[in-house]
Amino acid sequence: QSFKLLGFLDVKSVPCARESVLYGSLGSLVVGLGHFLATSRVRRSCDFAVGGFICTMLGYWFYCRYNLAQHRIRQRMLKEGMRNKILFEGSSLDPERKQTSSERSDS
């Protein structure tokens, strides 16, 4: 069963959504409670808590999505490298294969 935040963000299936909401709520608690302890103004502390939630959630969202994109790029490069290794292994195009003296004279 999926959990939809605000009716459209499926927290269970969207990458980084769950962690962003959790870190956002923690940031909200820290900022709101910190502002309340510093000023003792309840309404203003709630405003700061909402702002802390939004800033923390968006900050972690972009950080997580950037790392996810980097991971996918590295994974695609590794997959292509493995495919090329299998494809060229043992052929004259193999970079790890040492050329013998007869192959050097042919080329």
Side-chain angles (χ1 to χ4, degrees):
Q1 184 176 355
S2 65
F3 172 70
K4 294 194 181 231
L5 184 66
L6 299 175
F8 64 91
L9 181 61
D10 190 9
V11 175
K12 195 171 187 179
S13 65
V14 176
C16 300
R18 179 178 179 269
E19 292 84 6
S20 296
V21 170
L22 290 174
Y23 280 115
S25 61
L26 181 65
S28 167
L29 181 71
V30 168
V31 170
L33 189 62
H35 189 270
F36 177 73
L37 290 175
T39 62
S40 296
R41 297 173 67 188
V42 177
R43 183 174 170 89
R44 186 85 169 161
S45 297
C46 290
D47 293 341
F48 269 80
V50 170
F53 174 77
I54 292 170
C55 290
T56 307
M57 186 180 75
L58 288 177
Y60 188 77
W61 172 269
F62 288 122
Y63 170 76
C64 183
R65 294 298 285 199
Y66 178 75
N67 283 341
L68 184 65
Q70 279 187 333
H71 178 71
R72 286 181 178 167
I73 289 170
R74 284 192 303 262
Q75 194 174 21
R76 187 171 47 236
M77 287 172 53
L78 183 63
K79 186 177 180 180
E80 184 178 328
M82 289 172 61
R83 189 189 62 197
N84 287 341
K85 171 76 172 162
I86 292 169
L87 187 64
F88 295 130
E89 190 172 33
S91 70
S92 61
L93 299 174
D94 188 5
E96 292 182 5
R97 185 175 173 201
K98 299 206 187 285
Q99 290 184 345
T100 61
S101 59
S102 63
E103 288 177 343
R104 282 190 210 129
S105 62
D106 290 341
S107 48

